[in-house]
Amino acid sequence: MLSPTVPHLAGRDTALRTLGFSPTEASWLTLVCLHSGVFTRHQFCRFHSCRENAAHRFVRRLVDSRIAREHPVPDSRHRFTRVYGRSLYRALAIAPFRHRRVATPVVLFRRLLSLDYILENVDLPWLATEQEKVAYFTGRGIEANLLPQRLYGGAIHTRRYFALKLPIAGGDHSVNFVYADPGRETQRELRRWANVHRALWSYLRAAGAAVHVAVVTRTATAQRYYSRRLDTWLARPASNAAPTPKDNDTLTSVEAALLNGDSHALAQWGSSGGVNRIAVQLRRRVDHADAREVIIDSYSTHHSRHLAPKGPGGQPALIRPTGRR
């Protein structure tokens, strides 16, 4: 098997070689334990450029050693492996061992999609743990109270930073934030995620660091939806100022004329192509204003085809919430 170099592991996989794993196996398991706790055979084969029988042998060895278990992926033809062996996480000094737990479908897909993106961009300087993320941002002079956080109750209150555990890659001049959509495709959840990062993104941009947002989806439809939405978050030149009342009135008139096929009304704006361009430009300006303080420098969207949902008749199906994360 071919094993791509993974710079951000920085030798951490050596700890698993002492447990009897080969360098290739140790590197893979370190990646999984740090970032997701779960993987599919498809991910294993694609990353190592190997056939499925190699993945089968590896998974069987993990299962037989009672450090992993294989489960069917909800609404999919695939199976996934959950790595729960406490000895692995202890050797890697990963605490708390949250990736060992059984996850709801929503959390499971967040993890699998996150791992998919990391495997495709393994050269980025990933911040693998909560402690690394906090240290990176506070090291840039950012106060901890500006970081996304959640306070958990109980006998002892515990504060967790970046509680969704979505991937972040932090470089000297740019920071990549990954949002994994488990299949619900709701603007509200994307907005909530953006809002808790808004102060952090503003500080980074003010300090001269570019903010890049990457969204990973399970369907091409969701990918197109997020592309349109993220485009409204981009920092615009001064010429794209906030829309005036006249802009809003023009947009309303143009869209109504297009919807009703009113050729007489459309004629005042020129050709059909010109009308569409006017509508697109005005809609972008209005949507950008609606985004308010959410501003980023660049974005990308990605479709993980092998994790596409299957509903009745093979049609895509949305994941409904079954718990909170």
Side-chain angles (χ1 to χ4, degrees):
M1 294 187 299
L2 299 177
S3 182
T5 302
V6 186
H8 76 277
L9 293 188
R12 280 185 277 204
D13 51 319
T14 303
L16 297 191
R17 298 183 196 179
T18 62
L19 299 181
F21 295 102
S22 70
T24 297
E25 295 170 338
S27 176
W28 174 256
L29 286 172
T30 302
L31 260 177
V32 170
C33 290
L34 284 172
H35 293 291
S36 62
V38 292
F39 69 91
T40 65
R41 295 187 185 190
H42 179 276
Q43 290 172 327
F44 182 91
C45 292
R46 185 169 182 178
F47 187 70
H48 295 99
S49 301
C50 66
R51 296 182 181 276
E52 189 172 350
N53 58 354
H56 175 76
R57 290 193 299 269
F58 178 62
V59 170
R60 289 317 314 163
R61 179 184 171 193
L62 297 180
V63 172
D64 292 344
S65 299
R66 297 185 179 181
I67 57 176
R69 186 168 297 156
E70 205 171 27
H71 309 268
V73 176
D75 68 32
S76 171
R77 67 181 184 278
H78 293 282
R79 297 179 66 80
F80 74 93
T81 300
R82 177 172 64 90
V83 180
Y84 65 83
R86 190 181 296 269
S87 60
L88 302 182
Y89 292 88
R90 280 179 172 166
L92 294 169
I94 301 175
F97 308 142
R98 296 171 70 186
H99 282 156
R100 297 180 60 247
R101 303 173 184 170
V102 176
T104 65
V106 167
V107 175
L108 169 66
F109 281 114
R110 278 201 197 117
R111 294 180 181 178
L112 289 174
L113 290 167
S114 295
L115 181 63
D116 239 27
Y117 186 81
I118 289 171
L119 296 178
E120 291 295 323
N121 300 273
V122 75
D123 291 333
L124 291 178
W126 295 107
L127 306 170
T129 65
E130 175 185 341
Q131 292 78 12
E132 289 175 54
K133 293 172 183 174
V134 172
Y136 170 81
F137 291 112
T138 55
R140 297 192 70 130
I142 300 174
E143 295 182 6
N145 61 6
L146 293 180
L147 305 180
Q149 55 194 275
R150 181 179 295 176
L151 189 64
Y152 292 88
I156 300 177
H157 290 291
T158 304
R159 187 178 304 277
R160 293 290 175 210
Y161 295 92
F162 304 98
L164 290 183
K165 300 183 73 65
L166 291 168
I168 299 175
D172 294 332
H173 306 293
S174 64
V175 188
N176 289 259
F177 295 84
V178 179
Y179 178 81
D181 175 62
R184 292 190 284 190
E185 304 172 21
T186 63
Q187 180 177 324
R188 182 177 59 184
E189 291 194 10
L190 178 69
R191 172 60 57 184
R192 184 185 299 124
W193 177 76
N195 281 340
V196 299
H197 287 83
R198 186 174 58 200
L200 174 58
W201 291 348
S202 296
Y203 188 100
L204 288 169
R205 298 188 72 249
V211 173
H212 178 85
V213 168
V215 172
V216 197
T217 70
R218 300 178 61 203
T219 68
T221 300
Q223 182 183 16
R224 290 191 293 270
Y225 162 78
Y226 284 112
S227 293
R228 292 192 300 269
R229 191 61 192 160
L230 293 176
D231 190 66
T232 68
W233 294 6
L234 290 178
R236 304 291 184 184
S239 59
N240 275 328
T244 65
K246 182 178 179 180
D247 290 331
N248 288 312
D249 291 342
T250 301
L251 178 62
T252 300
S253 299
V254 170
E255 290 185 331
L258 286 170
L259 180 63
N260 298 322
D262 187 342
S263 57
H264 178 72
L266 291 173
Q268 63 182 303
W269 293 294
S271 65
S272 59
V275 173
N276 284 318
R277 282 192 295 273
I278 291 172
V280 168
Q281 290 169 359
L282 289 174
R283 172 52 62 193
R284 283 181 176 175
R285 188 177 299 179
V286 170
D287 286 346
H288 181 64
D290 288 343
R292 298 182 179 88
E293 302 94 320
V294 178
I295 300 178
I296 60 177
D297 296 286
S298 59
Y299 72 88
S300 58
T301 56
H302 310 265
H303 172 205
S304 293
R305 291 175 175 80
H306 74 107
L307 293 173
K310 296 294 182 182
Q315 297 300 313
L318 298 182
I319 292 292
R320 300 302 177 189
T322 58
R324 297 183 61 188
R325 180 72 166 92

